[in-house]
Structures are given as C-alpha cells and as structure tokens.
Amino acid sequence: MQSVLQAFIIKYFIFDCKPRDKSVVMEELLKPTEAEQAQALYLAISDILWNIGEKTKALIVLPGENSLIPHSHAYFQDNVTEKLFFFEFTKLDEMQIFMKRYLPYFTENPGPGALLLLYSAVVTRGMENLRNDLDAPKGAHLMGPYEEGSLNIVTLMLTGRATPYLHNGVVYVGDEDHYVSIVESTTVNTSDTASFGIITIYEPPTKCRWPEVRV
C-alpha cells in the first residue's frame, strides 16, 4: 500500500500542482513543506478511494472510543476493528474536506493508519465485487505474506480492482498443438486507463521484493 500512496503523492507534486513558473526545477517540486506533504497525502488517499468506488461513492472508516463488538471465542479484539464507524461520501470534494480534518488518524505513529486505509478500500469496493475481482473460485486471497501486502491489494489501490492478474483483456495460454485456455483480466477499466504502471522485481526464491510501483 505504501508504494501506491507514494506513486499518487509523487504524481501530485510533479503533475497536479505543477507551478506556473516553468523556471522551477524538478528537484524543488519534491521538497515540499510539512503542510504540502499533508495536503498531498489526504488528496492521494481520497483519489485512491474515489477510484475504487468507481468515482461515484467511497467509504472511510475511523475508530471511535468504545468497542462495538465484544471479545469472544469468535472474535479477538485488536483495539481498532471493533471500534470502527463508516462514513460514506458521494462527492469527492466533501470526502477531501473530511480527510483533511481527520488525517491524524492515518498519520499517527504508531497508529492504525495502514489498517484504516485497507478497511476503507475494502468496504468501498464491496465484498461481492472483491470476490469477483479475486476470481475467488480459483483460490486467490486479498492478503498475503509480504510486508508491502499482496499483489491483489496493490492492484486494488492502483486500479480500483483487486485482480490477481497483471495483463489487460484476454490472454491465450498454450499453442496450436496443446489445450488452449483463456484467462480474462479486469486490471484496468476499459473506459479509464490507470495512471500508473507496475513493476515487479523478483529475486532468488528466498528473497522477493514485492511489488514496486512507479509513476
């Protein structure tokens, strides 16, 4: 998730808030003040969630003070999940204002910021859509063992769909002399190409950098 956030933030500084003065060198654009960093972060989170919600709605989850789900043999409290409240938005500018006000929930260190972003992305996409994205009957999972998160989380944040595939459209597997199967991917909305590319770097089996997202 962090790599996707970084990509959106870099895009914001280089392209979205590019100064009118063309004499400003590129290096200066990437030396923002703390206020500019905060603005880039809440706008990046808003854009990610808005894209996941297909630019019609998005949900943000924030923790309250009291537990809403009791501790039991079926649920082990983590001091975050059982306290969540859901806030739904149908206008991007209203969500941006909300994110600006409550950004400290996402930046507190240590804090649940990454978990709140993940939950917000999941509930915005919806469980049924996530199952379809993951091609669940084939055994794909949203989470994975990597610190950065699974490829499915990265594609969810990057493209709005939690697909396990990295291709667009249809791929034919096999050749003329063997059985040919067809794999369909919904990595990119056919009407709205993603703003970023993704690079995966594999090292020997004992080590794997997973994955890097570049603007």
Side-chain angles (χ1 to χ4, degrees), residues 41-57:
L41 180 57
Y42 77 72
L43 290 177
I45 294 175
S46 298
D47 286 345
I48 289 171
L49 296 178
W50 193 244
N51 186 43
I52 293 173
E54 299 181 350
K55 300 181 179 180
T56 58
K57 72 172 184 178

Side-chain angles (χ1 to χ4, degrees), residues 111-169:
L115 188 59
L116 296 178
L117 177 56
L118 176 61
Y119 280 157
S120 297
V122 168
V123 296
T124 294
R125 184 59 180 156
M127 296 303 175
E128 186 62 31
N129 286 332
L130 279 175
R131 280 191 285 268
N132 293 334
D133 293 344
L134 293 169
D135 206 0
K138 296 183 180 179
H141 299 282
L142 182 63
M143 302 300 294
Y146 304 104
E147 181 178 350
E148 173 62 24
S150 72
L151 175 63
N152 302 324
I153 292 177
V154 173
T155 55
L156 173 63
M157 300 287 184
L158 195 63
T159 70
R161 300 183 181 183
T163 174
Y165 306 116
L166 291 177
H167 65 274
N168 299 326

Side-chain angles (χ1 to χ4, degrees), residues 99-116:
M99 273 301 311
K100 180 179 181 180
R101 177 178 298 177
Y102 294 102
L103 186 62
Y105 280 96
F106 293 84
T107 58
E108 183 182 9
N109 186 23
L115 188 59
L116 296 178

Side-chain angles (χ1 to χ4, degrees), residues 12 14 17 19-20 39-40 63 109 120 174 181 190 195:
Y12 170 78
I14 294 179
C17 67
R20 295 181 180 179
Q39 181 179 26
N109 186 23
S120 297
S181 61
T190 55
S195 301

Side-chain angles (χ1 to χ4, degrees), residues 6-149:
Q6 290 172 340
F8 272 85
I9 289 172
I10 292 173
K11 171 180 173 290
Y12 170 78
F13 283 123
I14 294 179
F15 300 106
D16 298 343
C17 67
K18 191 174 183 179
R20 295 181 180 179
D21 186 358
K22 296 183 179 180
S23 64
V24 177
V25 296
M26 184 68 68
E27 288 75 10
E28 292 300 319
L29 297 178
L30 299 179
K31 295 179 180 179
T33 64
E34 288 189 10
E36 291 171 335
Q37 292 177 43
Q39 181 179 26
L41 180 57
Y42 77 72
L43 290 177
I45 294 175
S46 298
D47 286 345
I48 289 171
L49 296 178
W50 193 244
N51 186 43
I52 293 173
E54 299 181 350
K55 300 181 179 180
T56 58
K57 72 172 184 178
L59 284 85
I60 295 175
V61 300
L62 295 179
E65 295 183 358
N66 300 319
S67 297
L68 304 175
I69 304 175
H71 184 85
S72 68
H73 70 281
Y75 175 73
F76 187 83
Q77 291 183 338
D78 59 16
N79 204 36
V80 177
T81 306
E82 65 274 3
K83 298 180 178 181
L84 294 180
F85 287 88
F86 292 61
F87 302 87
E88 182 174 339
F89 299 89
T90 56
K91 294 182 179 179
L92 176 59
D93 57 346
E94 292 180 356
M95 180 171 63
Q96 291 172 338
I97 294 172
F98 183 89
M99 273 301 311
K100 180 179 181 180
R101 177 178 298 177
Y102 294 102
L103 186 62
Y105 280 96
F106 293 84
T107 58
E108 183 182 9
N109 186 23
L115 188 59
L116 296 178
L117 177 56
L118 176 61
Y119 280 157
S120 297
V122 168
V123 296
T124 294
R125 184 59 180 156
M127 296 303 175
E128 186 62 31
N129 286 332
L130 279 175
R131 280 191 285 268
N132 293 334
D133 293 344
L134 293 169
D135 206 0
K138 296 183 180 179
H141 299 282
L142 182 63
M143 302 300 294
Y146 304 104
E147 181 178 350
E148 173 62 24

